[in-house]
């Protein structure tokens, strides 16, 4: 039985079939990472700078955009280094840092999506009492609880994994994740399993129950309300629903890929599925919220239009 401390690095085996096209993959991933950074930073700046957007329905998505930057920064730089590497090895501390960033990102995303559904529920079902029910103090508390709870949960996960005795250091993926480390263990993982179940209840089941409940109530109000109420509900809930469904799809892909034998899947498809969760969600959120929320969209358009006019005038 080999102790974890005897390993100085892990080897990522998911890159074994991508060496021929590594420069093409590097350019594609770099483009995606740059797009994610620019899109999310733009919306964060727009929401922070525009006082008309200092409302809960914009502040919560802003927290999502910050989370996209956090998760992407914990994922893509190491991925870019590994694409160009010939050995595809990652040091133990760096691997666990990536696990912390990726899993914290997933936790925060679920909590914030649940908070947004609660906010939409109050806005649609209790429009007259909304301002008194969703105060700025409550907004700050909900965001802080979402982030701090997620960080605490993942720190506990990483701490438990660091005590495991491992029988190998080869990870069958293109990045470090929690389950890949647990699969390498040759010591008792009962505590990890129990904590994993508890964590699943807290970070996945509880938010999903809240989201399901709020949307049942929203649908009830929509069906019994006026056409104007239904239109308002559709316009405000569409970005959230699209983000939620895409994220749930990404979670399902990650769960299936990490726990089932994917040896029969083409290597390029396997690589795409591995990065789906960390790629599509950070791109979809700014697109959906930027296009579907008219206030954000109009401010972004006016921002770019004014810059274009300045350029024309300078000529």
């Amino acid at each position: 039985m080999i102790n974890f401390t005897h390993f100085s690095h892990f080897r990522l085996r998911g890159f074994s079939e991508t060496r021929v096209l590594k420069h093409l993959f590097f350019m594609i991933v770099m483009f995606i990472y740059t797009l994610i950074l620019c899109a999310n930073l733009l919306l964060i700046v727009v929401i922070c700078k525009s006082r008309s957007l200092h409302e809960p329905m914009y502040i919560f998505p802003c927290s999502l955009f910050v989370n996209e930057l956090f998760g992407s920064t914990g994922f893509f730089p190491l991925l870019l280094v590994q694409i160009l590497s010939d050995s595809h090895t990652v040091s133990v501390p760096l691997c666990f840092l990536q696990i912390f960033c990726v899993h914290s990102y997933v936790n925060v995303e679920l909590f914030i999506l649940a908070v947004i559904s609660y906010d939409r529920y109050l806005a649609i079902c209790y429009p007259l009492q909304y301002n008194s029910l969703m105060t700025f103090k409550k907004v700050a508390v909900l965001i802080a609880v979402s982030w701090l709870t997620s960080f605490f949960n993942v720190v506990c996960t990483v701490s438990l994994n660091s005590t495991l005795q491992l029988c190998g250091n080869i990870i069958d993926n293109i990045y470090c994740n929690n389950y890949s480390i647990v699969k390498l263990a040759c010591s008792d993982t009962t505590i990890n399993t129990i904590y994993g179940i508890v964590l699943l209840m807290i970070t996945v089941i509880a938010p999903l129950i809240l989201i399901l409940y709020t949307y049942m109530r929203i649908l009830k109000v929509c069906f019994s309300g006026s056409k104007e109420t239904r239109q308002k509900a559709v316009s405000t809930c569409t970005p959230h629903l699209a983000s939620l469904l895409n994220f749930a799809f990404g979670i399902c892909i990650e769960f299936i890929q990490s726990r089932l034998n994917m040896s029969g899947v083409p290597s390029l498809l396997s690589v795409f599925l591995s990065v789906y969760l960390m790629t599509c969600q950070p791109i979809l959120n700014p697109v959906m919220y930027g296009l579907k929320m008219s206030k954000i969209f109009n401010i972004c358009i006016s921002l770019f239009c004014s810059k274009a006019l300045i350029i024309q005038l300078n000529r």
Side-chain angles (χ1 to χ4, degrees):
M1 193 174 290
I2 305 173
N3 193 277
F4 167 78
T5 55
H6 291 169
F7 294 113
S8 61
H9 65 273
F10 291 104
R11 187 162 70 87
L12 304 174
R13 196 158 60 181
F15 291 97
S16 58
E17 301 296 331
T18 62
R19 292 177 182 176
V20 178
L21 300 174
K22 66 179 182 180
H23 292 97
L24 175 61
F25 287 140
F26 179 86
M27 288 189 292
I28 293 173
V29 173
M30 178 59 79
F31 172 76
I32 292 172
Y33 183 41
T34 304
L35 179 64
I36 290 171
L37 290 179
C38 293
N40 285 279
L41 274 174
L42 171 65
L43 293 183
I44 290 170
V45 170
V46 166
I47 292 173
C48 291
K49 290 289 186 181
S50 304
R51 291 191 175 184
S52 62
L53 300 180
H54 292 180
E55 300 175 11
M57 70 177 296
Y58 303 110
I59 295 173
F60 289 132
C62 185
S63 184
L64 271 185
F65 304 146
V66 173
N67 189 43
E68 309 306 346
L69 292 180
F70 169 72
S72 299
T73 303
F75 177 76
F76 281 103
L78 184 57
L79 178 63
L80 289 167
V81 171
Q82 290 300 321
I83 289 174
L84 295 181
S85 172
D86 292 324
S87 60
H88 305 303
T89 59
V90 55
S91 66
V92 168
L94 201 55
C95 186
F96 273 83
L97 178 61
Q98 187 175 56
I99 290 173
F100 172 79
C101 291
V102 170
H103 285 264
S104 296
Y105 162 77
V106 172
N107 278 248
V108 172
E109 195 84 1
L110 277 169
F111 277 125
I112 296 297
L113 287 173
V115 168
I116 293 176
S117 69
Y118 173 65
D119 175 65
R120 294 301 82 210
Y121 158 70
L122 292 181
I124 294 170
C125 298
Y126 301 97
L128 299 179
Q129 297 90 4
Y130 176 74
N131 289 331
S132 60
L133 292 172
M134 187 58 73
T135 62
F136 281 101
K137 182 179 179 180
K138 191 172 184 179
V139 170
V141 169
L142 288 172
I143 292 175
V145 168
S146 299
W147 282 83
L148 294 177
T149 302
S150 301
F151 285 165
F152 176 77
N153 291 338
V154 179
V155 165
C156 292
T157 300
V158 172
S159 299
L160 286 173
N161 284 351
S162 66
T163 63
L164 291 174
Q165 292 176 315
L166 307 180
C167 294
N169 66 336
I170 298 176
I171 295 176
D172 293 319
N173 208 327
I174 61 173
Y175 68 97
C176 298
N177 59 39
N178 176 60
Y179 190 68
S180 296
I181 303 297
V182 174
K183 285 197 297 185
L184 295 175
C186 48
S187 58
D188 185 24
T189 59
T190 303
I191 296 177
N192 301 70
T193 303
I194 293 172
Y195 182 74
I197 294 172
V198 173
L199 199 61
L200 179 70
M201 299 294 294
I202 294 172
T203 62
V204 179
I205 304 300
L208 288 179
I209 289 175
L210 175 61
I211 291 169
L212 182 63
Y213 171 77
T214 54
Y215 271 98
M216 286 176 62
R217 294 296 301 271
I218 288 172
L219 286 173
K220 183 178 179 181
V221 169
C222 289
F223 283 125
S224 60
S226 62
K227 182 179 179 180
E228 183 181 351
T229 302
R230 288 194 294 271
Q231 289 176 341
K232 179 184 176 183
V234 170
S235 63
T236 58
C237 292
T238 297
H240 178 255
L241 278 175
S243 177
L244 178 64
L245 291 174
N246 182 70
F247 192 68
F249 180 66
I251 291 288
C252 290
I253 289 177
E254 181 63 27
F255 182 85
I256 292 170
Q257 190 174 29
S258 63
R259 284 161 176 78
L260 297 181
N261 183 9
M262 304 291 287
S263 58
V265 177
S267 58
L268 292 180
L269 178 59
S270 179
V271 169
F272 171 76
L273 293 176
S274 297
V275 301
Y276 181 89
L277 180 64
M278 300 301 299
T279 301
C280 293
Q281 188 73 5
I283 293 175
L284 178 68
N285 275 344
V287 170
M288 288 302 300
Y289 285 100
L291 293 178
K292 288 295 183 180
M293 289 190 161
S294 57
K295 271 191 176 182
I296 296 179
F297 180 74
N298 291 335
I299 292 174
C300 289
I301 290 297
S302 64
L303 181 65
F304 284 109
C305 286
S306 61
K307 285 186 176 181
L309 286 174
I310 291 172
I311 293 171
Q312 291 294 330
L313 289 172
N314 289 335
R315 288 180 178 177

